Amino acid sequence: MHRRNFLVRSSLFSVGSVLLPAVSFALETDLKFGVQLYSFRNQMAKDPLGTLEQIANIGIKEIESARSTKGHYYGLTPKSMKQACEDLGMKLVSGHVHLDKHFEKTMEEAAASGQDYLICSSMPSDGQTVENYKKVAEEFNKAGEACQKLGIKFGYHNHEYEFESDQGQVLYDVLMDQTDPNLVHMELDLGWVVVAGKDPLDYFKKYPGRFPLWHLKDMDMTKKESTEFGKGGLDIKAMMKNRELSGVKHILIEQEEYASTPLESMQHNMDFLNNL
């Protein structure tokens, strides 16, 4: 090899070595970032198929649905929702639902959609007391058993109010302690955890492996609302470094408020993650 060519190639290798961690982050860890479709709620209500295509085009690989005025699948059937995602190279992995009198139908639809998780999106009964949270934990265990029979995993998604205390106990901890890890799979919304004044890392350490799903959400700590990645109070880099401890398998981005449009905000978030 001529000396000039050798030096050029050596220089390129050195540059590549510096850049490699940033560009290969997702590839080396085989992460497939997903999105909670509530982030695109208005767009999904108007044009679900077109919106899914836009989401796929920015590199999203996994989808979590949410309740809407047109049902859990935005006017599509469970099977057509599954097919639409697959046609775009995505997978419907989860869905947000209520634990209510229609839950049996909800489970049947989830099984038909091929999704892996069915996530209760809020507490099914009011009462910020240890007693209520113990009662809800029993309901969750039963729901987990019912879902398991259909090949689905049941879980729960937190907001900030679960981190209030009663009788000297953090209510979310009561829920964690009283639910069967084999039946109730927690989706930790990291944004709401920090808004509540808690550190997600403390929960990773206290309950290792208990959080197979995340809502990765940065939060404006003054307004207490979501914002684009890197603009709020969540240390996303620290979260990603500790994902193995948490047990996370599906990282779902959710953003409810935007600087401009949901699509532009989501593109910003994907760029942020791909450059960590």
Side-chain angles (χ1 to χ4, degrees):
M1 184 185 298
H2 293 299
R3 183 174 181 276
R4 184 170 63 86
N5 290 342
F6 173 79
L7 290 173
V8 170
R9 293 188 184 187
S10 297
S11 298
L12 289 173
F13 179 79
S14 297
V15 172
S17 298
V18 173
L19 295 178
L20 187 60
V23 299
S24 65
F25 172 77
L27 296 176
E28 286 186 357
T29 56
D30 196 31
L31 283 176
K32 296 179 181 179
F33 295 114
V35 68
Q36 161 53 252
L37 288 178
Y38 188 73
S39 303
F40 293 87
R41 52 196 176 277
N42 295 330
Q43 292 79 5
M44 286 298 297
K46 294 175 183 176
D47 181 12
L49 296 178
T51 303
L52 288 172
E53 184 175 2
Q54 289 182 319
I55 292 170
N57 287 340
I58 61 173
I60 297 292
K61 295 299 181 184
E62 297 189 334
I63 294 294
E64 181 176 63
S65 63
R67 286 168 59 96
S68 74
T69 56
K70 296 182 179 179
H72 295 125
Y73 306 100
Y74 311 95
L76 304 175
T77 67
K79 289 185 178 180
S80 61
M81 181 69 175
K82 173 187 177 183
Q83 190 62 53
C85 289
E86 290 179 353
D87 290 344
L88 293 165
M90 300 188 293
K91 175 173 170 54
L92 178 66
V93 297
S94 180
H96 271 205
V97 301
H98 285 179
L99 186 56
D100 54 21
K101 62 182 180 181
H102 306 295
F103 191 65
E104 186 171 347
K105 180 183 178 183
T106 299
M107 288 190 295
E108 292 170 355
E109 289 180 343
S113 78
Q115 66 194 59
D116 301 316
Y117 292 88
L118 201 53
I119 303 296
C120 179
S121 59
S122 59
M123 287 288 284
S125 58
D126 294 329
Q128 292 296 89
T129 64
V130 169
E131 288 73 20
N132 184 49
Y133 274 67
K134 286 183 176 180
K135 184 188 80 170
V136 168
E138 290 182 17
E139 294 178 29
F140 283 176
N141 287 330
K142 291 177 182 177
E145 288 181 354
C147 282
Q148 197 174 68
K149 292 176 182 177
L150 294 177
I152 310 165
K153 298 180 179 72
F154 175 81
Y156 181 68
H157 164 272
N158 64 278
H159 292 84
E160 83 277 22
Y161 56 79
E162 294 92 341
F163 296 93
E164 295 175 5
S165 295
D166 178 54
Q167 300 177 39
Q169 299 181 66
V170 176
L171 294 170
Y172 189 76
D173 295 26
V174 173
L175 205 57
M176 293 293 295
D177 294 338
Q178 297 293 320
T179 49
D180 185 337
N182 296 313
L183 298 175
V184 183
H185 307 267
M186 292 299 187
E187 178 175 68
L188 196 66
D189 190 308
L190 306 180
W192 287 124
V193 175
V194 295
V195 165
K198 305 294 184 181
D199 187 343
L201 296 183
D202 291 338
Y203 279 89
F204 297 169
K205 294 171 186 175
K206 186 173 182 178
Y207 301 102
R210 287 289 304 272
F211 308 102
L213 302 100
W214 287 359
H215 268 191
L216 190 58
K217 178 192 296 178
D218 208 351
M219 298 292 282
D220 183 317
M221 300 300 286
T222 301
K223 296 181 179 179
K224 294 190 176 181
E225 63 181 35
S226 56
T227 187
E228 288 74 23
F229 288 177
K231 298 180 181 181
L234 180 68
D235 188 344
I236 295 175
K237 193 169 186 177
M239 298 301 108
M240 298 303 290
K241 284 182 178 178
N242 288 275
R243 60 191 180 279
E244 186 174 344
L245 178 63
S246 78
V248 70
K249 298 176 182 176
H250 305 281
I251 297 177
L252 301 159
I253 305 166
E254 183 180 42
Q255 188 169 335
E256 300 171 64
E257 294 85 19
Y258 328 96
S260 53
T261 69
L263 191 63
E264 289 178 4
S265 290
M266 201 59 62
Q267 180 67 69
H268 168 95
N269 294 338
M270 288 296 290
D271 291 344
F272 182 94
L273 291 173
N274 286 327
N275 285 286
L276 278 178

